[in-house]
Amino acid sequence: MLNGKNAVVTGSTSGIGLGLAEALAKAGANIALNGFGDPAEIEKSRARLENDFGVQVIYNGADMTKPHEIEALVDEAVAKLGSLDIVVNNAGIQNVDPIEEFPVEKWDAILAINLSSAFHMIRTTVGPMKQRKWGRIINLASAHGLVASPFKSAYVAAKHGMVGLTKTVALETAEFGITCNAICPGYVMTPLVEKQIPATAEARGLTEVEVVRDVLLDAQSTKQFVTLEQLGALATFLCSDEAAQITGAALPVDGGWTAH
Ligand code: NAD
């Protein structure tokens, strides 16, 4: 379905990004991976996607806090794969603290990685998409792009910003065959979520088991985590021609969380 298309997925060495990269590769797209991690593990993922799906997969370790490295990532992907058709802005980090104790450097990093990096990716890739009259931009927001939770001021602010950026880019690109949408997952059990369980337990005075049951899955009405496969299927559909009239949307995949 996506044969011959070239996709970049930021933050795709782990979790949701790797899941989305796999789904797009399975659909036939060539992939530029990005993110941090153990070089041997990253190479294993890169080679696995290439071998399993018969597509070209490259890796660039650009730091999403650095606009010039983002530009270099785009340049390398275009040089090695060809023009970019699909941009998935997924890289993200989290920090859980009451606002009066929220570390300033964490606020700055979350805004840079979870929001500003999407601005830099889009501004450097959308021009050629407009010229070719086809493009798909998928921004990984969150249920926290639609509703808030305490102790996540920077994350909630960045994800609400991501939904606003999505709508603006959708309006600017609507007549150029480009769609821009936000996927808003509820909780998915990835390293990002695992890491915040102890911090949430401390911030709220709960055990880790209580955090999973009473905090993470409390509002997620199905009481189940969202899976990588479910997110991959939605991202692939958004890249299809059948999804050409879905743009500017913030699509919850949250087991009913934001229906409350
Ligand atoms: P994760 O920690 O498993 O993966 C994050 C990825 O981002 C990794 O590849 C990491 O290397 C990369 N990354 C971090 N800092 C970076 C930087 N400065 N430059 C480049 N890459 C960087 O997290 P995840 O749960 O897979 O989250 C992926 C996205 O989905 C995030 O934007 C997150 O906010 C969003 N999300 C996650 C959940 C969830 O429950 N896991 C829910 C809603 C939204």
Side-chain angles (χ1 to χ4, degrees):
M1 183 186 111
L2 299 177
N3 291 333
K5 302 279 192 223
N6 300 316
V8 58
V9 184
T10 69
S12 48
T13 53
S14 166
I16 294 172
L18 185 54
L20 297 182
E22 176 157 348
L24 297 178
K26 195 172 179 183
N30 300 313
I31 306 287
L33 294 172
N34 157 262
F36 299 153
D38 172 28
E41 285 299 315
I42 294 171
E43 173 51 24
K44 221 189 277 176
S45 298
R46 192 202 65 73
R48 181 175 61 80
L49 294 188
E50 237 177 30
N51 294 335
D52 286 1
F53 304 116
V55 296
Q56 196 183 343
V57 182
I58 66 161
Y59 165 73
N60 177 297
D63 180 344
M64 288 293 125
T65 64
K66 302 202 164 93
H68 66 278
E69 291 192 20
I70 295 173
E71 289 167 16
L73 157 67
V74 170
D75 287 347
E76 186 185 350
V78 170
K80 292 192 172 159
L81 301 177
S83 50
L84 289 172
D85 308 290
I86 299 165
V87 172
V88 182
N89 292 306
N90 166 81
I93 60 167
Q94 175 63 285
N95 184 72
V96 181
D97 268 311
I99 193 152
E100 66 273 28
E101 292 164 22
F102 209 93
V104 171
E105 65 280 5
K106 290 280 185 194
W107 170 276
D108 289 342
I110 289 173
L111 267 287
I113 297 167
N114 296 22
L115 178 58
S116 298
S117 71
F119 160 68
H120 294 299
M121 285 296 299
I122 294 167
R123 75 175 171 79
T124 52
T125 54
V126 80
M129 283 183 191
K130 277 179 159 179
Q131 277 166 14
R132 292 194 311 282
K133 297 254 189 283
W134 202 93
R136 292 289 184 268
I137 301 167
I138 298 174
N139 294 326
L140 258 291
S142 166
H144 283 126
L146 304 170
V147 295
S149 296
F151 311 121
K152 296 184 176 178
S153 52
Y155 189 86
V156 170
K159 295 300 186 182
H160 276 68
M162 193 72 136
V163 171
L165 175 67
T166 300
K167 292 178 184 175
T168 304
V169 172
L171 295 181
E172 290 186 29
T173 57
E175 293 185 59
F176 293 88
I178 299 169
T179 69
C180 179
N181 292 291
I183 296 180
C184 299
Y187 281 103
V188 190
M189 191 48 93
T190 66
L192 179 140
V193 169
E194 281 170 51
K195 273 186 250 160
Q196 67 187 275
I197 292 172
T200 304
E202 199 183 325
R204 293 182 182 237
L206 299 172
T207 67
E208 295 191 12
V209 172
E210 286 168 337
V211 168
V212 172
R213 189 193 57 213
D214 301 335
V215 180
L216 299 188
L217 295 182
D218 180 43
Q220 206 148 302
S221 307
T222 56
K223 303 296 173 196
Q224 292 175 16
F225 286 99
V226 178
T227 68
L228 300 180
E229 291 72 20
Q230 290 159 354
L231 295 176
L234 175 57
T236 306
F237 176 67
L238 287 174
C239 291
S240 71
D241 289 332
E242 287 75 10
Q245 294 304 318
I246 303 176
T247 194
L251 301 162
V253 186
D254 65 4
W257 172 352
T258 54
H260 285 286

